[in-house]
Amino acid sequence: MADFIKNIIGGSKPSDTPVPSADSDFADFADAPSPAPVPFETVAGGANLGGPAPTGRPYTKWYNIHERYTLSDFRAEGIILLIIAVIFTLHYIGTKLNRAKARAWIKAHAPVLTSEFAVVGFSGTPQQTEQDPEKLLKAKSLFEYATYATGRQNVAFMDVKLSLKKRFNPIMTFVETALSFFFDSFAAPEDSVEFVLYPFDGKEAQIVPALPGATELRSKDSKSSFDGFVWAIVNKDKMKQLREERYDLSITFTKDNNKLPIWATVMSESAEVTETLLTNELASAIKKAGDLLDYIIISDQPVDKPTKMDETIPRKRLYLRYRLPSSDNYDDLAPLLSYFVRISDHLVASAHFRPEVLRKIKAVRDENIKQIQKAAEEEKAEERQAERDRARKAKRDAELNALDAKAQKKYLEKEREKELRKSAKKQTVRA
């Protein structure tokens, strides 16, 4: 009882010797020490079998790109990048040169255009104040620019097209230049401008809208018309090409004139037309412009040869084309443009010729109309003949299908004999 009370209040000291367990099978492990982790040692050249990577990272050159590659390894890429850089540089420089040349042209000719026309450019509003000349020109592509002018007596409107060399593509320019040396059909690349002027020719009522002030123009309809003809002053270097490419110039004859320089000639349907149109002022402007001028054409005939009666209807047009100087100095060319715009006034006032001259001019057109009519009649005759042949064949097939096999054989034999008689008769007539 006393020992029990001592155990409860802790009075007794624990025994130093362990009390033997009732299970004597594990008596040998009772005094075994607790296991401790063994540090991991990496074996040189050994695999870690997917285990944790060693803490110490060995040095290797594959972690340094400047030691792994050299510039010689990127030689092909460098050449490609260099070619791309050259192409983009040439493209940028060529585009800038074309844009600068177009700006120089419009700055030199804007005073002439704005003084002759009420509306210049594509804005569609009259010029109230002086505008920036560059806004009057519109870029259609990297080598084509255009402008438009309207609002003038005796002129409905005028289209202007500026065509420049493809400086942004030197390879294409070189190819076109090389081909022009060997083939006449390939024109050498050049900077040029073409004007196409559309006169009213008494059609103000059809063109001018019904706005306040338009009645004044309609009252002068009869005064803005002039006789139709084809007349031109062309550069002799372009004469053969123009005669081949343009139908209207193919019906004219060529004759030199003392008023013109040696490099230019007149293409006209009548000498009286030349006397009326080739004024001293025009001759002076042509001499001042020099051989940059390609042509001045006044025509009421189409550029392409007409093949239908509707295409033979006269439509009067005025054309001017000249090449741009490399120096961008247009002091000698501006007077030519000024006279070209005002030539419509001279036509209205003076281009009314004697009946004998008009009959001679009309005779050429009537001959072409007769040829077109003859070709149209032959075409219609061929169509009618083809229709008759189709009807005859349909009738023959219907008759043949209605017969039995024996009757069909006889029908075909008779048809063959008939064809043989016809062929024999033709040979007899030829003999």
Side-chain angles (χ1 to χ4, degrees):
M1 187 64 182
D3 293 335
F4 177 74
I5 295 173
K6 287 180 180 180
N7 288 335
I8 291 174
I9 63 176
S12 64
K13 297 181 179 179
S15 175
D16 294 334
T17 59
V19 180
S21 173
D23 190 356
S24 61
D25 294 336
F26 295 95
D28 297 336
F29 301 98
D31 297 331
S34 301
V38 180
F40 179 80
E41 294 183 0
T42 304
V43 182
N48 55 11
L49 300 178
T55 57
R57 185 174 61 182
Y59 171 79
T60 172
K61 68 177 182 178
W62 295 105
Y63 289 96
N64 299 317
I65 191 170
H66 64 279
E67 296 181 2
R68 198 187 327 169
Y69 297 105
T70 61
L71 292 178
S72 60
D73 296 327
F74 299 95
R75 183 176 301 172
E77 290 81 356
I79 293 173
I80 294 173
L81 292 176
L82 180 62
I83 293 174
I84 294 174
V86 170
I87 292 174
F88 273 94
T89 303
L90 293 176
H91 180 88
Y92 177 77
I93 295 174
T95 304
K96 294 286 287 184
L97 290 175
N98 279 357
R99 192 177 294 114
K101 201 164 189 69
R103 284 199 298 263
W105 180 88
I106 192 61
K107 286 181 180 179
H109 293 81
V112 177
L113 295 174
T114 53
S115 63
E116 293 288 345
F117 294 93
V119 179
V120 180
F122 296 95
S123 62
T125 57
Q127 307 295 325
Q128 302 293 341
T129 59
E130 186 176 353
Q131 291 187 355
D132 184 7
E134 297 182 11
K135 295 181 179 179
L136 305 179
L137 202 63
K138 181 179 180 181
K140 298 177 64 178
S141 65
L142 296 178
F143 63 97
E144 288 182 342
Y145 294 81
T147 188
Y148 171 86
T150 187
R152 190 187 188 280
Q153 187 179 9
N154 300 324
V155 176
F157 57 91
M158 183 176 71
D159 291 330
V160 184
K161 180 181 178 181
L162 198 66
S163 301
L164 305 177
K165 295 179 181 178
K166 299 177 181 178
R167 292 179 174 84
F168 55 88
N169 192 343
I171 297 177
M172 180 63 69
T173 303
F174 173 77
V175 171
E176 292 178 352
T177 304
L179 291 175
S180 65
F181 281 106
F182 300 100
F183 304 98
D184 295 336
S185 57
F186 288 91
E190 58 186 12
D191 300 321
S192 63
V193 59
E194 183 177 17
F195 305 82
V196 183
L197 189 146
Y198 300 79
F200 275 122
D201 193 27
K203 299 178 181 178
E204 286 86 345
Q206 303 175 15
I207 300 175
V208 178
L211 297 174
T215 55
E216 298 178 0
L217 290 175
R218 291 194 180 93
S219 64
K220 302 177 182 179
D221 287 358
S222 60
K223 298 181 180 180
S224 65
S225 60
F226 57 92
D227 294 334
F229 56 88
V230 178
W231 184 83
I233 296 177
V234 301
N235 194 316
K236 290 182 179 179
D237 294 337
K238 303 286 185 177
M239 181 176 61
K240 180 181 178 182
Q241 178 184 356
L242 291 172
R243 189 177 287 276
E244 293 175 352
E245 293 179 354
R246 296 183 64 111
Y247 163 76
D248 51 0
L249 293 183
S250 67
I251 63 177
T252 62
F253 62 87
T254 305
K255 188 176 182 180
D256 292 340
N257 194 287
N258 296 330
K259 293 182 180 180
L260 297 176
I262 191 172
W263 52 265
T265 187
V266 177
M267 303 180 73
S268 176
E269 292 183 284
S270 173
E272 186 171 330
V273 176
T274 302
E275 294 176 2
T276 303
L277 298 182
L278 185 54
T279 61
N280 294 330
E281 185 179 359
L282 176 58
S284 176
I286 291 174
K287 290 178 181 178
K288 192 173 182 180
D291 58 357
L292 291 175
L293 173 67
D294 285 340
Y295 55 76
I296 297 177
I297 301 174
I298 303 172
S299 174
D300 67 335
Q301 295 297 298
V303 176
D304 300 325
K305 186 175 181 179
T307 57
K308 299 179 180 179
M309 292 299 299
D310 294 340
E311 298 174 358
T312 61
I313 299 174
R315 294 178 176 86
K316 295 171 184 175
R317 305 285 187 271
L318 280 71
Y319 303 88
L320 168 65
R321 186 180 189 273
Y322 60 79
R323 283 160 282 134
L324 306 186
S326 57
S327 61
D328 290 338
N329 184 5
Y330 298 97
D331 295 339
D332 296 336
L333 292 168
L336 182 62
L337 174 60
S338 179
Y339 185 86
F340 173 75
V341 175
R342 289 184 283 109
I343 201 174
S344 58
D345 303 332
H346 182 65
L347 290 171
V348 172
S350 304
H352 303 280
F353 305 104
R354 296 180 295 112
E356 294 80 4
V357 176
L358 297 179
R359 279 197 297 268
K360 182 180 178 182
I361 294 174
K362 189 173 181 296
V364 179
R365 291 154 173 72
D366 292 341
E367 183 65 27
N368 184 52
I369 291 175
K370 289 179 181 179
Q371 294 178 2
I372 295 175
Q373 289 176 344
K374 184 179 179 181
E377 290 175 357
E378 292 177 353
E379 184 178 356
K380 290 181 180 179
E382 291 178 357
E383 292 178 357
R384 289 194 296 267
Q385 183 63 35
E387 186 66 26
R388 287 194 295 267
D389 292 341
R390 284 194 295 267
R392 190 182 300 111
K393 185 177 183 300
K395 181 180 178 182
R396 170 189 174 275
D397 294 340
E399 292 177 353
L400 196 61
N401 292 332
L403 301 176
D404 56 8
K406 188 175 181 181
Q408 285 182 356
K409 185 177 180 181
K410 291 181 179 181
Y411 185 91
L412 295 174
E413 289 178 355
K414 289 180 179 180
E415 193 177 57
R416 192 179 301 109
E417 291 176 359
K418 188 176 181 180
E419 291 178 357
L420 290 174
R421 286 196 300 268
K422 284 184 178 180
S423 60
K425 188 175 181 180
K426 289 180 180 179
Q427 293 178 358
T428 305
V429 171
R430 289 179 182 176

